[in-house]
Amino acid sequence: MRNFYNIVKSNFILEGHKCDELKSVVQVTGDPWCSCGGLAPDGTLVSVGGFLDGIRTIRYYGGPACNGNNKCDWREYHGAMNEDRWYGTQVILPSGEFIVVGGRRAFSYEYIPKQEGQRPTKPYFFPFLYETSDIDENNLYPFVHLATDGNLFIFSNNRSLLLNPTTNKIVRTFPVLIGGSRNYPASGMSTILPINLATAENTNPVKAEVIVCGGNAPDAFFLAEQKKYYNPALNDYPIPKWEKEYMPSGRTMGDCLILPNGQLLFINGAQKGTAGWWDADAPNLTPVLYYPEKPIGQRFKELKPSQISRMYHSTSALLPSGKIWVAGSNTHDTYKDVDRFPTETRVEGFSPPYLDANFDQYRPIIDEVYSSKKLRYGHKFETLFRMQDANAQNDLVKNDIKVTMYFPPFTTHGFSMSQRLLVVKTRGIYKNMSGIFNIESLAPSNQLAPPGYYILYVVNRGVPSKGMWVQIE
Ligand SMILES: [Cu+2]
């Protein structure tokens, strides 16, 4: 398969409004500070926990319950969780329920039933979280990924295991990842790599790889908090069997987003210090692109830096357009407009290299009207598209085209909860008389793709179309 690996142009553009100019007609009453969340299968945003009066809250926003009413408010159920969930991780399961793992001094996990307002029946004691909590904790916001066999990969501080969410048994444990601490407040990054169902050699279960990178020394938060010494962030990069590779720069509190074409983007964060108030220095302004399919040593590419520091409490999101929405950063306990690192209210749009106009001629355009938008497990679905440039479509071959599906994550504190990208299995591509292509794909199982809304992209040799929302159930 050919790819545009030599493309380099990328750009930050300041968007036209500031966060604090956005007026909201809705409000949250229980404190959602450092909570977690996810998008439920019906499109409702479900967010759990936070601080003080919100620490055991389950809150719901939007979805069918609003029935098209755009003034529909948050629906909060205080005290619904059995244990405090401050810095917990929430991830969607094949059943469409969420699991919520950990939180400060909460060494347990709970399942959130699908029915709004129903509370989890009980907490499941999880000693692993107790065992991986050190002097600085370094195990909050644990990295949780739904593996391809339906088990949960859970990474906390420097250890990881596979948990069966049906039997609640630990299936296996993995070697310690030496070199430092990876979870909050050391705040490294992690994602499950794109799940490739398109290639023939896939077996059951489908191969899964997880990356964990960045973070800091186990005592880095203590040094930052007590001595205001900002220890350099980690820049090694391990994958299962914990192969190591070096990132071009150290990064703590960064985001690791999967892009529509299967590349990864490391963005935001700091090169020194940890999460916490006034606990970091040396913002990492340079986004880094990562090519998982290239050989070790050739996988990283540094992109054009931003001018704006994005450290503690910054965030980012992949948009259907393929652009990256970048916002936030507040390194203090209150808003401070005058400071070395002021409270950041500006929003940026970052264009990864694949949005370069030079590639528009190769860019597929999805025909949303005639493409399948409701997907059913194990059934085929059709995506219609054309090429922007009629000449480009003449030499189009099937192997150049990938159909990818992105589950929109809940990104906070450097972790994108429930993030996954599937490269789906395609069965054929046909061109009709008017030059429209029809690509037939197979909807994956719910273990591979939990139910809900995905952004679907058609990707031509690394150049993605604009995304289209689809729903799988
Ligand atoms: Cu926080």
Side-chain angles (χ1 to χ4, degrees):
M1 188 177 296
R2 293 173 292 159
N3 268 293
F4 296 110
Y5 276 147
N6 56 343
I7 54 180
V8 289
K9 286 188 195 163
S10 56
N11 210 10
F12 279 97
I13 302 218
L14 209 54
E15 298 291 323
H17 56 259
K18 293 170 80 176
C19 279
D20 57 358
E21 289 167 359
L22 297 173
K23 299 270 187 291
S24 174
V25 294
V26 297
Q27 67 171 5
V28 169
T29 61
D31 192 340
W33 183 36
C34 308
S35 55
C36 50
L39 196 65
D42 66 4
T44 304
L45 175 61
V46 181
S47 164
V48 165
F51 188 54
L52 296 177
D53 57 352
I55 204 162
R56 293 192 180 196
T57 299
I58 307 179
R59 54 188 79 81
Y60 300 82
Y61 186 76
C66 284
N67 203 14
N69 172 10
N70 60 10
K71 291 206 173 112
C72 188
D73 212 332
W74 286 90
R75 309 180 291 280
E76 294 171 281
Y77 300 84
H78 299 308
M81 300 300 285
N82 294 291
E83 295 203 355
D84 294 351
R85 300 298 168 190
W86 186 27
Y87 306 102
T89 293
Q90 176 180 338
V91 163
I92 190 145
L93 299 173
S95 62
E97 295 184 339
F98 289 102
I99 188 170
V100 177
V101 182
R104 178 160 277 163
R105 292 181 289 278
F107 308 114
S108 67
Y109 58 86
E110 303 181 49
Y111 297 101
I112 303 174
K114 280 207 288 190
Q115 184 73 36
E116 177 168 333
Q118 275 189 6
R119 49 181 293 162
T121 50
K122 61 169 185 175
Y124 291 80
F125 179 53
F126 195 31
F128 176 65
L129 295 175
Y130 182 79
E131 292 161 12
T132 51
S133 183
D134 63 24
I135 179 183
D136 287 348
E137 298 180 300
N138 288 324
N139 71 336
L140 301 178
Y141 284 121
F143 302 140
V144 181
H145 305 294
L146 175 63
T148 48
D149 60 359
N151 291 314
L152 292 166
F153 175 88
I154 304 180
F155 186 100
S156 176
N157 195 336
N158 60 359
R159 288 172 50 191
S160 49
L161 50 71
L162 213 52
L163 175 80
N164 183 321
T166 311
T167 62
N168 296 295
K169 293 238 161 44
I170 291 167
V171 178
R172 63 174 293 189
T173 57
F174 298 100
V176 170
L177 173 54
I178 54 169
S181 297
R182 313 292 174 164
N183 294 89
Y184 184 96
S187 293
M189 301 168 280
S190 179
T191 189
I192 184 166
L193 290 183
I195 299 162
N196 193 342
L197 309 173
T199 45
E201 61 267 34
N202 272 322
T203 50
N204 196 12
V206 173
K207 181 179 145 194
E209 277 187 296
V210 166
I211 68 161
V212 175
C213 46
N216 211 320
D219 59 350
F221 177 75
F222 171 81
L223 293 170
E225 191 77 4
Q226 303 294 327
K227 317 263 186 212
K228 293 297 155 202
Y229 169 75
Y230 306 117
N231 200 53
L234 301 174
N235 65 342
D236 56 345
Y237 168 86
I239 54 179
K241 284 189 269 147
W242 303 125
E243 286 174 46
K244 284 211 178 193
E245 187 175 2
Y246 286 87
M247 300 195 291
S249 53
R251 199 179 298 261
T252 172
M253 298 180 287
D255 291 340
C256 172
L257 297 178
I258 311 177
L259 300 175
N261 60 3
Q263 296 165 352
L264 306 187
L265 180 72
F266 302 113
I267 194 166
N268 297 352
Q271 298 183 67
K272 289 183 172 181
T274 65
W277 311 131
W278 292 282
D279 285 342
D281 204 344
N284 193 332
L285 301 171
T286 307
V288 172
L289 201 59
Y290 181 78
Y291 306 90
E293 288 168 12
K294 282 192 164 191
I296 278 192
Q298 299 171 34
R299 290 179 178 161
F300 294 101
K301 182 181 285 259
E302 292 189 291
L303 302 178
K304 194 175 168 190
S306 172
Q307 306 293 313
I308 300 177
S309 305
R310 305 282 185 187
M311 303 206 290
Y312 194 40
H313 289 161
S314 62
T315 192
S316 59
L318 169 65
L319 302 178
S321 65
K323 253 195 208 179
I324 309 300
W325 184 88
V326 182
S329 186
N330 189 21
T331 65
H332 337 95
D333 55 351
T334 53
Y335 274 60
K336 282 191 191 306
D337 287 335
V338 182
D339 191 81
R340 178 127 188 266
F341 300 111
T343 301
E344 191 49 67
T345 57
R346 287 171 293 178
V347 171
E348 286 167 290
F350 177 68
S351 297
Y354 56 65
L355 288 180
D356 190 317
N358 284 328
F359 302 111
D360 281 352
Q361 58 180 313
Y362 305 107
R363 198 177 305 284
I365 299 171
I366 296 178
D367 184 335
E368 294 214 9
V369 175
Y370 294 104
S371 294
S372 316
K373 288 191 274 300
K374 282 265 188 193
L375 277 41
R376 286 171 58 212
Y377 287 118
H379 287 69
K380 70 163 204 187
F381 65 94
E382 297 181 335
T383 311
L384 274 64
F385 66 96
R386 63 184 169 84
M387 301 304 294
Q388 190 139 319
D389 181 320
N391 293 325
Q393 63 190 22
N394 290 333
D395 57 279
L396 190 76
V397 294
K398 186 194 163 209
N399 287 346
D400 288 342
I401 296 286
K402 282 194 242 179
V403 177
T404 63
M405 285 170 60
Y406 183 73
F407 191 95
F410 184 97
T411 299
T412 188
H413 296 78
F415 185 48
S416 297
M417 302 174 194
S418 302
Q419 173 171 247
R420 63 208 286 114
L421 182 91
L422 295 120
V423 183
V424 301
K425 197 170 193 61
T426 52
R427 305 210 297 192
I429 181 165
Y430 313 99
K431 187 176 170 187
N432 75 11
M433 305 283 277
S434 41
I436 307 286
F437 293 91
N438 182 349
I439 187 158
E440 254 185 41
S441 313
L442 194 65
S445 71
N446 61 339
Q447 281 190 0
L448 297 168
Y453 287 91
Y454 287 73
I455 311 174
L456 182 142
Y457 297 90
V458 175
V459 183
N460 175 22
R461 288 181 280 158
V463 177
S465 65
K466 276 198 170 54
M468 172 181 76
W469 285 102
V470 298
Q471 187 185 20
I472 187 164
E473 54 187 22

